[in-house]
Amino acid sequence: MKTFTIARAVWAALIAAAVAVTSTAALADIKDYKFELVDQSVQAGPDKVVTVRLVNTKTGKPVPDAVIFASRLDMAPDGMQEMATKVTPMPGTEPGTYRFKASFGMAGRWQLSLGAKVQGETGTVENKLVITAQK
């Protein structure tokens, strides 16, 4: 009789552990990720590098190996969204950082729009970051 009770207790503990692991994994959400600018400003001119960090907002940790599939840089914050420039991805210098080279044709506020997929998550991380180009 005791063996049966112990076996049931072990079985119940295993089920509880499986449910706990499953519910923890289900707590992840694409809204828990965001891009942040490493530097808020750059010098106006050609071939400037902008570095962003993708962060898990719940843990505060950088997120490496995301696939950035959309990037756009324009002057939408200053009402000139038609003033767009080419954005060229570059290798990051540390895990969770993503770098882009672009020409900032004039001083002002520029908007970097990014879209990315995070491995193991469904949905898309989308952010719009404002960079100030200075003379």
Side-chain angles (χ1 to χ4, degrees), residues 88-129:
T88 306
M90 299 177 61
T93 55
E94 53 190 76
T97 62
Y98 303 86
R99 297 173 49 197
F100 304 93
K101 182 168 56 170
S103 294
F104 292 83
M106 62 186 291
R109 294 179 301 157
W110 291 77
Q111 179 174 278
L112 177 62
S113 303
L114 297 171
K117 294 284 187 184
V118 175
Q119 292 186 13
E121 300 290 349
T122 57
T124 302
V125 178
E126 294 180 6
N127 286 125
K128 295 177 190 275
L129 307 168

Side-chain angles (χ1 to χ4, degrees), residues 22-102:
T22 304
S23 65
T24 302
L27 292 176
D29 188 0
I30 200 68
K31 293 178 181 142
D32 294 336
Y33 300 93
K34 71 174 184 175
F35 283 102
E36 300 174 341
L37 287 168
V38 172
D39 292 314
Q40 302 294 319
S41 63
V42 297
Q43 291 294 318
D47 298 330
K48 301 300 177 185
V49 176
V50 175
T51 304
V52 298
R53 183 178 299 115
L54 181 59
V55 177
N56 180 320
T57 58
K58 287 198 174 200
T59 64
K61 294 183 180 180
V63 180
D65 303 324
V67 178
I68 298 177
F69 64 87
S71 59
R72 176 178 166 87
L73 184 63
D74 60 40
M75 290 193 78
D78 285 345
M80 296 184 280
Q81 53 271 20
E82 68 280 352
M83 178 105 176
T85 188
K86 181 179 176 189
V87 180
T88 306
M90 299 177 61
T93 55
E94 53 190 76
T97 62
Y98 303 86
R99 297 173 49 197
F100 304 93
K101 182 168 56 170

